[in-house]
Amino acid sequence: MKMMRLAIAALGALLAGCHSGGLPSSGGPDGDLNPAVAPTDMAALLHCGRTSAPPAEPFKRVQYGMVATWRGTATSPWVAPYQVEIAFAADGTYLARTTDGSGQQPFYYDKDPEHDRYEVVDLQPNGKATGNLYLEWLSSADALAQIALDDNLTHLTFEYSHFGAGPVVYDLACTP
């Protein structure tokens, strides 16, 4: 009976830590996964399918943060907004598709679904990144600009331009 009380007390302490916004963690010298990430942020990071804390360095944080599956709206200068899902992988590849039956391609050009590679190439003084995205049939890169993630890395926005035309603006939330 005493062991059961101890187990219930331990479970209560564990749940109290989660209820207060923290997740039990380990890894750093004081038990934190990353001192730059508050415990309340870890729940959001894990929600996006991530299994580790983000790097503190801003450029690497953007690269890390993009790796997830995202759903949201693509807004083009030429057609009504449409819904997309884009999965950016850690190996530099992506898979994108339109999810609303609109008939639009996820990156406006080429096909649905679309897949190839992407890269984050620079961090601007404003904290937003730039990058390249390759369509399956194209050997030259299209431009990604204004890549931005919220503090919890659960909301991604960026602009996509094809040979200077656009931009198509993406407003996306990560999916578990």
Side-chain angles (χ1 to χ4, degrees), residues 5-174:
R5 282 189 200 138
L6 288 173
I8 290 171
L11 181 59
L14 178 68
L15 292 175
C18 289
H19 177 68
S20 67
L23 286 175
S25 60
S26 63
D30 58 359
D32 288 337
L33 289 172
N34 183 335
V37 179
T40 54
D41 294 339
M42 285 308 299
L45 291 170
L46 295 173
H47 169 77
C48 294
R50 300 182 183 105
T51 58
S52 64
E57 195 273 312
F59 179 74
K60 291 190 181 301
R61 186 174 171 89
V62 172
Q63 290 176 310
Y64 166 93
M66 280 186 69
V67 176
T69 299
W70 304 91
R71 288 187 184 143
T73 304
T75 304
S76 159
W78 310 288
V79 298
Y82 53 100
Q83 299 299 301
V84 296
E85 179 181 84
I86 305 170
F88 291 106
D91 67 358
T93 60
Y94 72 87
L95 175 62
R97 66 185 183 98
T98 302
T99 60
D100 64 2
S102 65
Q104 288 302 129
Q105 291 79 25
F107 290 108
Y108 188 79
Y109 301 94
D110 206 17
K111 59 185 178 179
D112 182 14
E114 175 69 46
H115 66 91
D116 206 316
R117 63 194 196 294
Y118 76 98
E119 57 196 353
V120 180
V121 296
D122 191 25
L123 187 67
Q124 301 175 328
N126 67 2
K128 295 182 178 181
T130 61
N132 295 317
L133 184 126
Y134 296 83
L135 298 177
E136 226 175 301
W137 56 275
L138 199 58
S139 61
S140 62
D142 284 339
L144 297 176
Q146 303 299 318
I147 302 168
L149 291 145
D150 68 351
D151 289 340
N152 287 333
L153 306 179
T154 59
H155 187 251
L156 170 68
T157 57
F158 64 90
E159 297 177 355
Y160 164 77
S161 296
H162 179 69
F163 293 122
V168 179
V169 178
Y170 293 82
D171 187 358
L172 310 168
C174 70

